[in-house]
Amino acid sequence: MKLFREIGHMRGQLLAIVIVIGSGIANFVAFRSVEASMVLTQRAYYEESQFADIFVSARRVPESVRERLQSIPGVAHVETRVVTDVMLDIPGLNEPASGLISSVPDQGQPLLNRLHLQSGRWIREGAEDEVIVSAAFSQANEFQPGDRFSAVINGRWRPLTIVGIALSSEYVLEVRPGTFMIDNKRYGIMWMGRSALAAAYDMKGAFNSALVGLEPGASERMVIEELDVVLKQYGSVGAIGREDQMSHRFLSDEIAGLRVQALIVPTIFLGVAIFLLNIALLRLVSTQRMYIAILKAFGYSNVRIALHYIGFGLFSVAGGTVLGLIGGYYIGDWLVDLYTRFYRFPVLRFDMPEGVILGAVGLSALAAVLGAISSVRTALKLPPAEAMRPEAPKNYRAGILEKWKIFRRLDPVMLMIVRNIVRRPVRAAVGVLSVAMAMSILVMGRYMVEMFDTILDVQFNRASREDAIVTFVLPRSASAVMDLQHLPGVMRVEPFRAVGADLEFGRHTKRTAITGVMKRPDLHRVSDMKGVYQPVADEGITISAYLAARFGAAVGDTITVKLLEGDRRSAPFIITGLVDEIMGVQAYMSSATLAELLREEGSLSGAYLQVDAQHLQDFYDVVKRTPTIAGVMLRSTAIQSFDDNYKENMDASSAYLVAFAAIIAFGVVYNSARIALSERGNELASLRVLGFTKLEIAVVLLGEQVVLILIALPLGMALGTYVSSLLPDALATDLFRFPFDITLKNLGLGALTITVIALISGFFIRRRLQKLDLIAVLKSRE
């Protein structure tokens, strides 16, 4: 009963602790459960669909070679197919669209990467105009089985009928190759019967893509090396393992990010909760020292007294645990709903594993024990005889600050504020640190929003200033530039050549693309994270700084380039430059150097185009019907896609962080002021009797919080800046790196948010001060 009476007496402080604990547990439960749901769903889907371990593409391989691939040690299954890029004409869509058509067996599902048919039916054997389309492409264009659109297949327009809508483990996330952009409306994945697609591309008895499933324990690297040897003469661009498969890579990076968030965010909340519980219990022990002495005098053991205060802590966090579990369920469900907009699984449900629930309960219990340790130790150290007497006054000797002349000039109210802070330095320091942590979360959340603004500016205003990028089905001669210049509305053409290659340095190898860069480019320039143009030297090779760091290489080192096209030659190149760019792990050479390496005379993979806006529709109409063009990416649609898919989510994440940072700040400020009111009620009532006004005693009480917040704000800015500076390295992947830049606007908004929260907390405390019963307080011993 005593425990419940104390909890009822301290309900205001405990409510703040419950909210903070609940927020930490909710984040832990949500992120850990979503991570577990994603991992389990991914694993089950891969197993059900027989997701391949290795992917390989070539120019044209006789079907008879399949037996050689199957005989490679470690290979369990080989699935051959025909895969090609196509231009699409979508009814009602002005811009050109593109996509990828992959063949499937005429009679049923493939052995590897089996499709999950959501609606419709399988393709009839030999049907030349029937396709199954991906669910994402179908949803973006509101397709249904029976709808029709057209595609350029091997140079000829062909109407296609949608007979089914399906999911594929190979395209859980559908990203336009080479751009990292999600544009399901203008880029689609389709499947067509093998015989029809092979006939259209003269691939009867041949294939240009193969999927490989490995036996348990087989070495992926050794199998890839064997595959590359066998397929080298057939124009293979090199096999890749599952880890380098685009969709799998995005999904794996997302899951890893969830794991990081499940560690960082709850740690901050629980750390603050431990602090709040600690000061609340210390205050409780201080006011109950006489009762503790009496209990000890009557024979209560230290263990029973310790269990009482630990029980107080456990009971206090129990409400937060329940609140966190409920909140975590809804937050996790919201996150899963958000993920289903991008990652397409047959089923993705939010589940709370028992291990996560037990972990949440364990974390809460740990926070309660850690929060109670200091107060328990204080209670156990109290000798009964000494504790029977009222607590001796604090040492009121002048501190260091009080010896300063400027301190002596302060008015009595300010003197009381400063003395109270100086004489409880540990509590003041932890309070400052807690508010600073809340401020750091605000800075970090805002940084992530501004980071994507920076990416948008660098990527689309400074590095990629072209209106459109066209890529060819096969490399074309330099004369293709003339063809592009005669397209309607085209004002400028900057061609490029890209080739797949393995880069080797010591024991490190990275499979990537080398892009040939013309002298003084204007439309598309190699730029660093700040958008600063990085010229590519006439000789040697420029690689991404991220890749160089992974290799341990530097400018002046020699790197080996192994081509994946042509005669697959190898050649050493000196690293003449590093570029710290945002997207991808890429390498660059001058156009002349790359042409010399390839022994070509200016062949082209595509071009960057500047197009007159008044002739865009004419440009679209012609490009759609140009058989040599495999794909077109428009700058305007890329920006829109970036806004829709990345920035919108980041804004939601930022609002999420701001909400939780506000909870931390409110919990710390309100709890500290509320405890100060409890501790100093007698003192404040005495001041009122001595003639101080209500406003003056409010200033005495809240002034301390104001001073602490003023100290915490710059500290929080510094802490937030430091934590944010760690994020680019922590989140860096082969696909994305993130620029670091903290703006004054970011810091100002964070400070404003904390100030508003402090004012709200002060409003509630002021209301309690207005209701202060002087007689009751002065009669009370506490």
Side-chain angles (χ1 to χ4, degrees):
M1 290 304 295
K2 182 175 185 301
L3 180 63
F4 289 109
R5 284 199 303 273
E6 289 168 349
I7 288 173
H9 182 67
M10 298 178 64
R11 58 185 179 280
Q13 298 97 307
L14 293 184
L15 179 61
I17 295 172
V18 165
I19 292 174
V20 174
I21 282 274
S23 301
I25 294 300
N27 279 279
F28 173 79
V29 169
F31 287 125
R32 291 291 296 177
S33 297
V34 172
E35 179 208 346
S37 297
M38 296 275 280
V39 169
L40 287 175
T41 302
Q42 179 194 35
R43 192 176 300 158
Y45 188 29
Y46 282 5
E47 186 175 344
E48 176 195 345
S49 66
Q50 295 293 301
F51 188 46
D53 296 299
I54 296 174
F55 304 77
V56 59
S57 299
R59 186 158 296 175
R60 191 178 194 281
V61 188
E63 188 64 29
S64 57
V65 177
R66 180 185 180 283
E67 296 302 321
R68 290 180 60 189
L69 303 182
Q70 183 70 62
S71 64
I72 294 174
V75 172
H77 305 290
V78 175
E79 181 81 41
T80 62
R81 58 185 184 175
V82 176
V83 177
T84 183
D85 294 316
V86 292
M87 290 293 295
L88 304 175
D89 187 10
I90 308 295
L93 185 66
N94 292 330
E95 303 95 332
S98 57
L100 179 145
I101 299 184
S102 177
S103 71
V104 289
D106 293 320
Q107 298 174 336
Q109 289 274 9
L111 194 61
L112 300 173
N113 291 7
R114 300 166 67 88
L115 301 184
H116 178 86
L117 201 60
Q118 279 193 322
S119 62
R121 60 172 174 80
W122 198 255
I123 301 164
R124 288 179 296 131
E125 182 176 358
E128 296 181 347
D129 63 341
E130 293 185 353
V131 291
I132 295 173
V133 300
S134 70
F137 183 50
S138 167
Q139 183 179 352
N141 289 285
E142 300 180 348
F143 284 144
Q144 295 294 330
D147 289 345
R148 295 168 67 84
F149 63 93
S150 301
V152 177
I153 297 181
N154 203 18
R156 292 182 300 173
W157 275 103
R158 180 179 291 183
L160 300 174
T161 301
I162 299 171
V163 298
I165 297 170
L167 299 172
S168 169
S169 55
E170 190 174 356
Y171 302 101
V172 172
L173 181 69
E174 293 182 19
V175 180
R176 186 187 284 265
T179 65
F180 311 116
M181 294 297 168
I182 303 170
D183 186 5
N184 298 131
K185 194 171 184 65
R186 300 171 189 81
Y187 183 80
I189 305 296
M190 296 149 282
W191 295 270
M192 180 181 279
R194 171 74 177 266
S195 60
L197 192 59
Y201 281 92
D202 192 24
M203 282 280 183
K204 285 187 176 180
F207 63 90
N208 64 2
S209 174
L211 306 171
V212 177
L214 296 178
E215 293 177 345
S219 168
E220 179 187 282
R221 182 176 178 181
M222 292 183 65
V223 172
I224 286 176
E225 289 176 355
E226 290 291 329
L227 286 169
D228 286 347
V229 170
V230 173
L231 296 176
K232 175 181 177 180
Q233 59 183 309
Y234 302 108
S236 168
V237 294
I240 60 171
R242 183 184 288 183
E243 290 300 317
D244 291 323
Q245 201 267 339
M246 185 68 74
S247 171
H248 176 82
R249 192 59 184 264
F250 266 94
L251 182 57
S252 299
D253 288 346
E254 192 65 47
I255 292 173
L258 282 170
R259 198 170 297 131
V260 172
Q261 292 183 68
L263 174 66
I264 295 177
V265 180
T267 300
I268 294 175
F269 277 97
L270 294 177
V272 174
I274 290 170
F275 158 69
L276 295 179
L277 188 59
N278 178 57
I279 60 174
L281 283 174
L282 280 175
R283 185 256 169 187
L284 184 65
V285 169
S286 173
T287 57
Q288 295 185 343
R289 52 186 284 119
M290 185 172 292
Y291 305 128
I292 295 171
I294 294 172
L295 290 174
K296 287 185 175 182
F298 276 95
Y300 279 74
S301 67
N302 283 342
V303 173
R304 292 190 64 181
I305 293 173
L307 288 177
H308 171 78
Y309 288 103
I310 291 175
F312 184 93
L314 289 172
F315 195 89
S316 302
V317 303
T321 307
V322 174
L323 182 67
L325 290 174
I326 296 172
Y329 177 84
Y330 285 103
I331 294 172
D333 192 53
W334 170 71
L335 283 173
V336 165
D337 183 61
L338 194 64
Y339 279 123
T340 54
R341 292 172 53 187
F342 306 103
Y343 297 95
R344 306 282 175 162
F345 293 102
V347 179
L348 178 57
R349 283 195 300 265
F350 173 70
D351 291 316
M352 286 172 57
E354 292 179 358
V356 172
I357 296 174
L358 292 175
V361 174
L363 281 176
S364 297
L366 181 63
V369 172
L370 292 177
I373 280 179
S374 181
S375 58
V376 168
R377 190 170 57 183
T378 302
L380 299 186
K381 287 170 61 179
L382 280 174
E386 181 181 334
M388 287 287 186
R389 298 192 298 269
E391 187 177 8
K394 298 292 182 183
N395 183 357
Y396 284 111
R397 287 183 302 178
I400 296 177
L401 291 178
E402 295 172 70
K403 296 177 181 176
W404 293 359
K405 291 183 179 178
I406 189 171
F407 185 85
R408 296 171 191 164
R409 295 177 182 174
L410 295 177
D411 61 54
V413 173
M414 284 303 300
L415 278 174
M416 284 186 275
I417 292 172
V418 175
R419 280 175 178 155
N420 204 52
I421 293 173
V422 172
R423 287 165 183 166
R424 291 181 173 87
V426 175
R427 180 187 298 183
V430 178
V432 165
L433 183 60
S434 298
V435 175
M437 289 171 73
M439 175 74 189
S440 71
I441 293 177
L442 291 171
V443 172
M444 186 172 61
R446 182 69 196 173
Y447 155 68
M448 296 181 76
V449 172
E450 294 186 344
M451 174 179 70
F452 275 82
D453 289 339
T454 303
I455 291 175
L456 192 67
D457 178 54
V458 170
Q459 197 63 28
F460 296 109
N461 294 331
R462 304 188 194 188
S464 303
R465 299 186 293 180
E466 69 279 351
D467 296 311
I469 303 174
V470 297
T471 52
F472 299 129
V473 176
L474 294 171
R476 297 191 61 193
S477 66
S479 64
V481 173
M482 299 296 292
D483 297 334
L484 294 173
Q485 285 175 335
H486 286 89
L487 291 176
V490 171
M491 297 186 292
R492 182 180 295 182
V493 179
E494 286 186 2
F496 67 87
R497 177 75 166 101
V499 59
D502 280 337
L503 306 184
E504 292 184 356
F505 183 76
R507 58 184 178 83
H508 301 286
T509 301
K510 177 62 183 175
R511 180 156 295 179
T512 185
I514 301 175
T515 301
V517 179
M518 60 184 297
K519 283 188 176 180
R520 292 182 291 278
D522 184 52
L523 296 181
H524 193 95
R525 305 189 299 182
V526 179
S527 302
D528 64 15
M529 290 196 182
K530 296 181 179 178
V532 178
Y533 169 53
Q534 302 291 312
V536 175
D538 292 338
E539 297 181 348
I541 185 171
T542 296
I543 65 174
S544 100
Y546 176 76
L547 180 62
R550 287 179 54 183
F551 278 6
V555 172
D557 290 336
T558 300
I559 197 169
T560 301
V561 174
K562 289 186 175 180
L563 292 176
L564 298 174
E565 292 184 17
D567 59 3
R568 302 173 75 95
R569 70 176 59 196
S570 299
F573 282 88
I574 295 175
I575 300 174
T576 51
L578 302 178
V579 55
D580 192 14
E581 56 187 352
I582 292 173
M583 293 185 179
V585 175
Q586 303 178 66
Y588 303 94
M589 290 180 179
S590 68
S591 297
T593 303
L594 184 58
E596 184 179 349
L597 175 64
L598 290 168
R599 295 180 179 174
E600 295 176 345
E601 295 183 356
S603 62
L604 310 177
S605 300
Y608 309 107
L609 307 180
Q610 183 181 31
V611 184
D612 186 344
Q614 294 183 346
H615 295 87
L616 272 178
Q617 191 57 56
D618 296 333
F619 172 77
Y620 294 158
D621 293 340
V622 174
V623 166
K624 284 179 181 178
R625 288 168 172 72
T626 304
T628 55
I629 293 179
V632 178
M633 192 188 76
L634 304 172
R635 179 173 174 271
S636 57
T637 57
I639 293 174
Q640 185 64 46
S641 169
F642 193 88
D643 267 343
D644 292 343
N645 298 306
Y646 293 104
K647 195 168 184 306
E648 182 181 335
N649 288 340
M650 196 48 61
D651 288 343
S653 299
S654 176
Y656 179 82
L657 287 174
V658 168
F660 282 105
I663 289 173
I664 287 183
F666 182 81
V668 171
V669 176
Y670 177 78
N671 207 298
S672 299
R674 186 71 181 79
I675 288 175
L677 176 60
S678 299
E679 288 179 340
R680 304 174 64 187
N682 195 286
E683 174 188 340
L684 296 174
S686 301
L687 291 174
R688 285 281 291 127
V689 172
L690 291 174
F692 277 67
T693 64
K694 290 182 179 180
L695 178 61
E696 286 174 325
I697 64 169
V699 172
V700 169
L701 182 68
L702 298 176
E704 177 182 340
Q705 304 305 317
V706 171
V707 172
L708 295 181
I709 289 172
L710 290 176
I711 297 172
L713 287 180
L715 182 62
M717 293 177 186
L719 184 62
T721 302
Y722 173 70
V723 173
S724 300
S725 73
L726 300 178
L727 288 180
D729 286 338
L731 299 176
T733 67
D734 283 3
L735 302 176
F736 280 108
R737 265 89 54 207
F738 301 99
F740 171 68
D741 186 24
I742 298 293
T743 64
L744 290 176
K745 181 181 178 182
N746 180 346
L747 300 178
L749 286 175
L752 179 63
T753 305
I754 295 292
T755 302
V756 170
I757 293 167
L759 289 174
I760 294 172
S761 304
F763 171 75
F764 286 111
I765 297 299
R766 177 76 188 279
R767 286 185 60 188
R768 294 192 67 87
L769 273 176
Q770 296 287 348
K771 300 176 182 177
L772 194 65
D773 186 342
L774 299 180
I775 297 175
V777 171
L778 290 173
K779 283 183 177 179
S780 173
R781 293 177 59 86
E782 299 179 10

